Amino acid sequence: MTSNTAGGPTRRERMRAETIAEIKASARSQLQEHGPSGISLRAIARDVGVTPAALYRYFDSLDALLIQLCCDFYDELIAATREAMDAAPPGAHLDRMKAWVWVFRGWAVGHRREFELMISYPEGNSAMTIDGRRAGQAAEDIDPVTQKSLEHSRLCGHELAAFWKQTEREGGGDPGGPAMPEVSDELASELLDQCAVFIVGEPVPLPWIFSFTSAWVRVFGLVVMETFGSLPVRENVDEYYKTQIMMMLRDFGFDA
Amino acid sequence: MTSNTAGGPTRRERMRAETIAEIKASARSQLQEHGPSGISLRAIARDVGVTPAALYRYFDSLDALLIQLCCDFYDELIAATREAMDAAPPGAHLDRMKAWVWVFRGWAVGHRREFELMISYPEGNSAMTIDGRRAGQAAEDIDPVTQKSLEHSRLCGHELAAFWKQTEREGGGDPGGPAMPEVSDELASELLDQCAVFIVGEPVPLPWIFSFTSAWVRVFGLVVMETFGSLPVRENVDEYYKTQIMMMLRDFGFDA
DNA sequence: ATTAATTAGCTAACGGTGTTCACTTTAATG
DNA sequence: CATTAAAGTGAACACCGTTAGCTAATTAAT
């Protein structure tokens, strides 16, 4: 009964995809209910209506499943962010970057446990990894979660590069660019090197990169503190964020 | 054989304290080697040379042990921070706050796994807690880890209050105080309320509080990113920090 | 259409975990 | 010295992730 004469997905493939989706859904619901450490393979098996051992036909291990989940979450986050950015016109770089921050924050807060898992994954193994890839391993197979994380950062980083390109094309001199303290040559070159991963496209001048990293640190701090409940404000979080974003823009040299 | 005629610690009490120390030491070494989730009660029992069940005479559960560990770590961190602050003269508030940031960062980086456990504890249960205390519970028994965390924050918060007091006493008008964007009354009052937990002592004006929270968010972001390996710099971290601190001081209205 | 190969699923087991309960040994107290 | 409270034991319970070997079903090839 080969229903695959047209090259379409075979029946088993469809069932397989469906089962994988069921497994992930069960895992996610456990994540939301009991947190990252409350995800149990056996509970998933019970949920899906299958033997624990059967799950190993779909994922090499519980860890592999969690990693896969993280990647899915990042895809979700990236899609949401990208959509929000594209709602603004292509040339409105400031608006687009603001949209990125805003949706990032919103997604993280709206999916706390997912976010918890996502940032706890590179973390969990961070002690034995160097910038995401285990020491002495090829750059190809750095862990996929870090890859997704970078992809997410690149959304904003690319916007920065485009922003700089626009600024450079339009204005002579320094049209309100960010002011930056003096730094050593070593720090300067290291920043340029490290950020080449996030900020792709045109080469961006150091002050821009520096201000970008500062803003990135602040956004990260905000989002992590909020999701973990240690932000110094709870009722008027939106306004607090907006004010913080305003201050970052001011650091960047803009008044809007 | 009552060696307790003088009211000193009985022999059993000494043994007990010693055993508790052994248990904690074993747990900590496991934490450092295998991370927070790699701490096993049975392994501790093996290590201490005792039956797993025996450990329940010392801690109600594994969770209780971990909480106790976190508290110890906070005490360690607090002691280190306090010592560094007191190395500067009592009136040098800026230096003392810088010392706080610096030691906080140094301790976290030097004790990554401990720090991981510490911040993952309020986190782990954050979804079901509101500002550290479970909904509908007295303020007395908020979880001890959060209490310690607040105690740590208060070190710096208290310094801010003292700083403001000094500034107010000395100068007329606004002697280089922080500039702050306009905020609504609701946000203003909420900030003042929430920060009353950190910032004890004299009532501090809103712009100071606002700048303080901004700096706190940035420091938190920096430390978390560094311990988790996502800081945009790895070789020249010290200089990067110093530059960031300089920028925060500038935000505060100081040039030093 | 029949056979061969691949895949999904099962059962059973291994070694590990946190936790509890009843029991014994040990140390401190009156 | 007898009594009481604490420390420690051993066995069990209910979980967990993971592996190996087997059976049934689907796909692919002849």
Side-chain angles (χ1 to χ4, degrees), chain B residues 2 4 10-12 39-42 46 52-53 56 61-62:
Chain B
T2 55
N4 205 8
T10 146
R11 173 187 163 146
R12 253 222 296 243
I39 304 180
S40 154
L41 231 126
R42 294 185 112 103
R46 254 173 266 134
Y56 283 80
S61 65
L62 174 60

Side-chain angles (χ1 to χ4, degrees), chain A residues 231-236, chain B residues 131 133 185-200 204 206 209 213:
Chain A
L231 206 64
V233 62
R234 287 170 212 286
E235 305 284 343
N236 308 279
Chain B
D131 73 308
R133 71 179 143 262
D185 289 354
E186 294 97 57
L187 176 56
S189 73
E190 199 198 347
L191 268 176
L192 290 172
D193 277 5
Q194 295 279 357
C195 289
V197 189
F198 308 130
I199 304 167
V200 294
V204 177
L206 184 64
I209 291 217
T213 67

Side-chain angles (χ1 to χ4, degrees), chain A:
Chain A
M1 207 203 246
T2 53
S3 66
N4 206 8
T5 56
T10 146
R11 175 194 158 119
R12 255 224 291 246
E13 282 170 332
R14 270 185 296 117
M15 293 302 265
R16 181 178 179 84
E18 212 168 291
T19 309
I20 288 183
E22 270 184 72
I23 295 174
K24 283 179 179 174
S26 170
R28 184 166 191 170
S29 107
Q30 284 185 47
L31 169 67
Q32 287 163 342
E33 272 201 75
H34 312 108
S37 63
I39 304 180
S40 153
L41 245 159
R42 295 183 110 104
I44 295 173
R46 251 173 269 135
D47 215 24
V48 179
V50 97
T51 283
L55 296 181
Y56 284 81
R57 302 278 166 197
Y58 299 91
F59 297 95
D60 287 342
S61 64
L62 174 61
D63 228 54
L65 168 57
L66 296 184
I67 289 176
Q68 198 35 252
L69 268 188
C70 278
C71 290
D72 289 358
F73 296 160
Y74 265 111
D75 284 338
E76 222 179 279
L77 169 61
I78 288 170
T81 315
R82 185 170 278 149
E83 188 187 4
M85 290 177 81
D86 286 344
H93 299 297
L94 274 180
D95 285 338
R96 290 168 71 88
M97 290 167 85
K98 279 198 266 185
W100 179 82
V101 172
W102 205 250
V103 172
F104 177 29
R105 176 241 166 181
W107 195 92
V109 174
H111 303 77
R112 291 168 201 258
R113 312 268 27 182
E114 287 90 338
F115 186 65
E116 207 177 319
L117 184 70
M118 285 189 268
I119 65 170
S120 87
Y121 234 94
E123 288 172 23
N125 309 357
S126 73
M128 49 189 94
T129 62
I130 299 174
D131 73 307
R133 71 179 142 263
R134 293 177 186 278
Q137 220 173 4
E140 277 81 336
D141 46 17
I142 75 172
D143 82 282
V145 180
T146 303
Q147 268 179 333
K148 292 282 180 185
S149 162
L150 288 182
E151 188 181 336
H152 172 231
S153 306
R154 255 190 290 266
L155 278 183
C156 198
H158 182 271
E159 204 61 42
L160 178 79
F163 190 16
W164 159 247
K165 205 164 149 189
Q166 186 194 55
T167 304
E168 191 191 29
R169 195 171 40 230
E170 287 180 0
D174 212 45
M180 176 191 141
E182 287 201 8
V183 300
S184 74
D185 290 353
E186 294 99 55
L187 176 55
S189 73
E190 200 199 346
L191 269 175
L192 290 173
D193 277 4
Q194 295 279 358
C195 290
V197 189
F198 308 130
I199 305 167
V200 294
E202 295 295 300
V204 177
L206 185 62
W208 286 62
I209 291 215
F210 187 87
S211 292
F212 183 78
T213 67
S214 303
W216 174 231
V217 165
R218 297 176 73 166
V219 170
F220 187 81
L222 282 169
V223 173
V224 170
M225 287 180 78
E226 188 180 4
T227 55
F228 290 171
S230 50
L231 206 64
V233 62
R234 287 170 212 286
E235 305 284 343
N236 308 279
V237 194
D238 282 23
E239 192 188 346
Y240 188 72
Y241 260 85
K242 279 180 185 146
T243 317
Q244 290 285 337
I245 292 178
M246 230 186 70
M247 290 177 66
M248 293 184 222
L249 289 181
R250 186 185 289 172
D251 274 1
F252 241 94
F254 299 95
D255 292 330

Side-chain angles (χ1 to χ4, degrees), chain B residues 153-174:
Chain B
S153 306
R154 255 190 290 265
L155 278 183
C156 197
H158 181 271
E159 203 61 41
L160 178 79
F163 190 16
W164 160 246
K165 205 164 150 190
Q166 186 194 55
T167 304
E168 191 191 30
R169 195 171 41 232
E170 286 181 0
D174 213 42

